[in-house]
């Protein structure tokens, strides 16, 4: 059940207790800091305080926090590809999201290339290769346990020489608490700037909606390493409602760019705050 429905159910016919409301917000993956901020904003509002008005006010405040979502960067004026680096912890849906995003971009008439920078798992290169074949998109890869930075460098060089519009780099899952793996990711990021100092133009984290508020902690660490410019939230077809992306927008100012709603290639939509607040959260 969604956050606003929970608020309505909990307080309908009774007065709204602020502590109870805060707990409901935290349970909705908004996190303590955002829940406290929302309560503050709600208290500052004048007028009736009942279940309906509080639910509506919460919607408005969350819509405000989500702000405007930047559009996908266009093809670079210098003719070089727009490079999107995809990172995140293990199993959140990075590789699937890269494939879905490639499909989305290809459907929009753009040329796309993939870089298989997850050299950590042998199956990962193969997994991305299957998607690339299916989508008929070029893939640059190396052998298992090769250097992920070198793969990205080669892919970038190839994408530049072929006049590709978008280069999507899939990286290995890594725990945000593992220092050496985060350093490796920073190196990938630096390497992509070697042939185009403005690259990678986008650095996105993929978070799983079912992991709740842990997504905020992950994003904090990846943001410190990469300076993130976006979030893809996956598995919104599951039990998670994606409250964590509101906390991420509020605390870190990072916009969500796409949402994943299934395992299929078409199950990716551009993030629309209005729809998200009305129908998903
Ligand atoms: N239900 C659902 N499943 C998803 C979604 N996105 C990805 N998955 C599934 O989640 C599982 C992991 O997806 P991957 O794309 O391999 O995840 P990853 O982050 O690349 O994993 P690692 O590379 O091992 O870190 C797969 O079974 C996907 O089909 C989604 O939006 N909804
Ligand atoms: Mg993967």
């Amino acid at each position: 059940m969604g956050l606003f429905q929970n608020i309505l159910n909990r307080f309908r016919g009774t007065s709204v207790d602020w502590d109870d409301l805060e707990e409901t917000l935290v349970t909705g993956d908004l996190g303590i800091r955002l829940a406290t901020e929302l309560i503050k904003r709600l208290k500052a509002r004048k007028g009736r305080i009942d279940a309906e008005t509080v639910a509506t006010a919460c919607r408005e405040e969350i819509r405000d926090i989500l702000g405007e979502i930047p559009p996908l960067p266009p093809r670079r004026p210098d003719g070089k590809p727009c490079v999107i680096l995809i990172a995140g912890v293990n199993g959140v849906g990075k590789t699937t999201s890269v494939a879905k995003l490639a499909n989305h971009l290809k459907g929009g008439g753009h040329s796309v290339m993939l870089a298989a920078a997850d050299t950590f798992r042998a199956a990962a290169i193969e997994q991305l290769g299957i998607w690339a074949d299916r989508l008929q998109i070029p893939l640059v890869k190396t052998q298992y346990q090769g250097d992920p930075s070198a793969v990205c460098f080669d892919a970038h060089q190839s994408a530049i020489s072929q006049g590709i519009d978008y280069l999507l780099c899939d990286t290995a899952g890594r725990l945000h608490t593992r220092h050496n793996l985060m350093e490796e990711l920073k190196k990938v990021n630096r390497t992509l700037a070697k042939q185009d100092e403005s690259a990678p133009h986008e650095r996105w984290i993929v978070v799983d909606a079912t992991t709740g508020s842990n997504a905020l902690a992950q994003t904090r660490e990846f943001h410190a390493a990469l300076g993130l410019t976006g979030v893809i939230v996956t598995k919104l077809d599951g039990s998670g409602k994606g409250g964590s992306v509101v906390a991420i927008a509020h605390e870190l100012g990072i916009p969500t760019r796409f949402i994943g709603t299934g395992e299929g290639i078409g199950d990716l939509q551009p993030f629309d705050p209005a729809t998200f607040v009305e129908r998903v959260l």
Side-chain angles (χ1 to χ4, degrees):
M1 199 188 305
L3 177 66
F4 305 112
Q5 196 56 48
N6 272 340
I7 294 175
L8 289 173
N9 290 354
R10 186 142 181 186
F11 301 113
R12 191 171 274 138
T14 70
S15 59
V16 174
D17 177 274
W18 295 117
D19 289 340
D20 278 358
L21 178 62
E22 184 171 294
E23 191 188 316
T24 308
L25 295 172
V26 171
T27 315
D29 296 342
L30 297 191
I32 295 283
R33 199 180 292 194
L34 174 55
T36 310
E37 168 70 18
L38 277 174
I39 301 278
K40 200 176 93 193
R41 291 193 189 192
L42 296 175
K43 280 182 176 168
R45 287 184 171 222
K46 302 277 179 280
R48 269 156 49 90
I49 298 171
D50 58 23
E52 275 77 17
T53 51
V54 164
T56 304
C58 271
R59 266 210 178 92
E60 287 168 9
E61 296 293 351
I62 288 174
R63 177 70 191 79
D64 179 58
I65 286 165
L66 290 172
E68 295 304 313
I69 305 302
L72 248 187
R75 189 187 156 75
R76 312 293 307 166
D78 58 9
K80 287 183 178 173
C82 170
V83 180
I84 306 180
L85 179 61
I86 303 288
V89 305
N90 308 77
V92 288
K94 292 176 296 299
T95 304
T96 313
S97 297
V98 163
K100 290 174 180 178
L101 187 58
N103 179 58
H104 175 86
L105 290 166
K106 195 182 174 199
H110 302 290
S111 56
V112 186
M113 181 179 279
L114 305 179
D118 179 357
T119 59
F120 197 68
R121 285 193 306 119
I125 302 169
E126 197 186 327
Q127 182 191 2
L128 197 62
I130 292 170
W131 282 118
D133 285 348
R134 212 180 284 173
L135 295 169
Q136 300 197 302
I137 285 174
L139 168 79
V140 175
K141 59 184 179 182
T142 181
Q143 80 284 7
Y144 168 56
Q145 293 189 334
D147 177 4
S149 293
V151 182
C152 288
F153 185 88
D154 290 349
H156 198 191
Q157 192 167 46
S158 174
I160 291 170
S161 72
Q162 292 181 44
I164 295 283
D165 297 333
Y166 290 92
L167 172 65
L168 311 183
C169 305
D170 180 32
T171 61
R174 68 197 74 226
L175 266 182
H176 50 298
T177 49
R178 293 282 302 277
H179 179 76
N180 56 335
L181 295 180
M182 294 307 278
E183 287 303 312
E184 181 194 73
L185 188 60
K186 286 190 200 170
K187 188 177 162 205
V188 169
N189 194 29
R190 285 195 304 272
T191 302
L192 283 166
K194 285 186 179 168
Q195 296 168 92
D196 174 358
E197 62 182 21
S198 63
H201 309 90
E202 299 283 346
R203 298 163 301 279
W204 294 356
I205 186 173
V206 179
V207 298
D208 175 340
T210 62
T211 60
S213 59
N214 196 252
L216 176 62
Q218 292 163 15
T219 306
R220 228 180 256 136
E221 299 305 320
F222 278 87
H223 190 42
L226 295 178
L228 294 173
T229 59
V231 176
I232 298 179
V233 58
T234 61
K235 311 194 190 183
L236 278 173
D237 50 314
S239 56
K241 296 289 174 194
S244 55
V245 304
V246 188
I248 290 168
H250 176 244
E251 186 179 320
L252 302 169
I254 306 166
T256 295
R257 312 294 282 271
F258 281 90
I259 64 171
T261 52
E263 297 188 87
I265 191 76
D267 297 328
L268 181 85
Q269 282 93 41
F271 180 70
D272 174 45
T275 313
F276 177 75
V277 170
E278 290 304 318
R279 302 205 206 127
V280 185
L281 198 59

